[in-house]
Amino acid sequence: MSDLEFVICIPARYQSSRLPGKPLIKLKGKALILWAVESAQRLGAKEVTVATDDQRIFDCVEAAGHDVVMTSDSHLTGTDRIAECAAIKGWSSDTWVLNYQGDEPNIPRANVEQVLYLIQQSPQAAIGTLYQSITDLDSLFDPNVVKVVTNDKHQALYFSRAPIPWSQQHFNQQAKRLPEGINFKRHIGLYVYKVAFLQEFSRLKPAEIEQCESLEQLRALATGEQIVVAKAVCDMPHGIDTADDVMRFEQDTKNRP
């Protein structure tokens, strides 16, 4: 277990292409953003803060008694929003920040401890994050599933919505299954970084590859930052992206308190 002190920020915006108003969608009668906050509060952070640009989300979180800050509505990414949150909160440049996804409210504690330990053991890296293996062809070709390729030092080489690495021999044959011997990796959007990195990141213009793929982590790679990646020790629960996901979440939690 990592003994790293850290804070948690949950970026939350109202707009969502697939599920508008997603943070306020009710799951078993409670807004999704509140599920995320309450889950994050069980992870041992010094602080848990929601960063939003929407008054409705702000009011919901504040009314529930949780910490929330209002940020600009012009941020292109969640990381940019977290950078402003860090400035508002006055977190020091050496504060470790965990970017906790508001649409994945049941992230296993073991995965959080793992990514904190990972960054602690990787002083050369600006970002620590996780992946899990892809085991089916549909997921590999799904543009909503972000893939990552790493080197032998467990550092990210590239992230993409496309199926990478591309098996020239296998996929040109109208494959019906994944080729053997290749570990296809699904990126898990759980990040940890220092405020100093956030400050630098937010001053950079979006990179060409970032804009092309709509993946903010590519801004860090484009400027030469290292992203260290490990395989998650626990499978991640399915995030909330569609109406079907809402039904699945309620079904999975029907017997939970």
Side-chain angles (χ1 to χ4, degrees), residues 120-137:
Q120 195 173 16
Q121 299 301 309
S122 310
Q124 79 288 352
I127 304 174
T129 191
L130 302 176
Y131 77 88
Q132 59 189 42
S133 295
I134 294 173
T135 58
D136 64 278
L137 205 61

Side-chain angles (χ1 to χ4, degrees), residues 174-241:
Q174 294 186 330
K176 292 183 172 30
R177 57 181 176 79
L178 292 177
E180 297 181 359
I182 302 175
N183 184 13
F184 294 100
K185 301 170 183 176
R186 174 178 187 155
H187 178 230
I188 296 172
L190 183 69
Y191 304 98
V192 61
Y193 26 49
K194 277 189 176 180
V195 168
F197 166 77
L198 290 171
Q199 293 168 338
E200 180 182 349
F201 181 92
S202 65
R203 289 193 292 264
L204 297 171
K205 292 182 178 180
E208 183 178 306
I209 55 173
E210 173 190 358
Q211 294 176 309
C212 177
E213 296 262 16
S214 294
L215 296 174
E216 61 194 279
Q217 60 270 42
L218 291 175
R219 192 186 313 177
L221 287 186
T223 55
E225 298 286 3
Q226 287 189 13
I227 301 177
V228 64
V229 189
K231 183 176 183 179
V233 292
C234 295
D235 287 341
M236 289 286 286
H238 200 287
I240 309 296
D241 291 314

Side-chain angles (χ1 to χ4, degrees), residues 1-194:
M1 181 185 300
S2 170
D3 58 358
L4 198 67
E5 286 193 345
F6 66 103
V7 298
I8 291 176
C9 185
I10 307 173
R13 64 188 185 95
Y14 190 83
Q15 298 301 325
S16 172
S17 58
R18 287 184 287 172
L19 198 61
K22 181 163 60 172
L24 300 181
I25 291 288
K26 293 295 181 66
L27 302 171
K28 296 181 69 175
K30 181 166 60 181
L32 173 58
I33 187 63
L34 299 183
W35 282 94
V37 174
E38 292 169 11
S39 176
Q41 288 174 335
R42 295 191 289 268
L43 297 175
K46 292 171 59 179
E47 281 183 73
V48 176
T49 302
V50 174
T52 187
D53 62 356
D54 187 274
Q55 191 65 48
R56 290 162 291 188
I57 297 173
F58 185 97
D59 292 344
C60 174
V61 176
E62 186 178 56
H66 305 305
D67 190 37
V68 57
V69 297
M70 184 67 77
T71 57
S72 169
D73 62 2
S74 63
H75 291 307
L76 298 176
T77 72
T79 302
D80 292 305
R81 191 174 309 286
I82 293 173
E84 184 185 356
C85 175
I88 293 171
K89 298 293 293 182
W91 293 331
S92 65
S93 61
D94 61 351
T95 299
W96 289 104
V97 182
L98 182 78
N99 179 343
Y100 191 94
Q101 301 298 310
D103 58 1
E104 295 179 351
N106 289 320
I107 296 174
R109 183 185 181 109
N111 287 356
V112 172
E113 293 173 347
Q114 179 187 15
V115 76
L116 291 170
Y117 181 80
L118 176 67
I119 197 69
Q120 195 173 16
Q121 299 301 309
S122 310
Q124 79 288 352
I127 304 174
T129 191
L130 302 176
Y131 77 88
Q132 59 189 42
S133 295
I134 294 173
T135 58
D136 64 278
L137 205 61
D138 287 344
S139 294
L140 183 65
F141 281 82
D142 184 348
N144 295 311
V145 174
V146 178
K147 277 70 67 172
V148 59
V149 172
T150 59
N151 63 19
D152 291 343
K153 296 181 179 180
H154 309 291
Q155 298 162 354
L157 293 173
Y158 194 67
F159 297 84
S160 182
R161 298 183 182 279
I164 57 172
W166 179 264
S167 175
Q168 178 75 3
Q169 180 178 5
H170 193 82
F171 293 142
N172 285 350
Q173 305 284 326
Q174 294 186 330
K176 292 183 172 30
R177 57 181 176 79
L178 292 177
E180 297 181 359
I182 302 175
N183 184 13
F184 294 100
K185 301 170 183 176
R186 174 178 187 155
H187 178 230
I188 296 172
L190 183 69
Y191 304 98
V192 61
Y193 26 49
K194 277 189 176 180

Side-chain angles (χ1 to χ4, degrees), residues 18 27 238-250:
R18 287 184 287 172
L27 302 171
H238 200 287
I240 309 296
D241 291 314
T242 66
D244 287 343
D245 294 334
V246 173
M247 295 176 61
R248 182 186 297 110
F249 180 91
E250 292 188 332

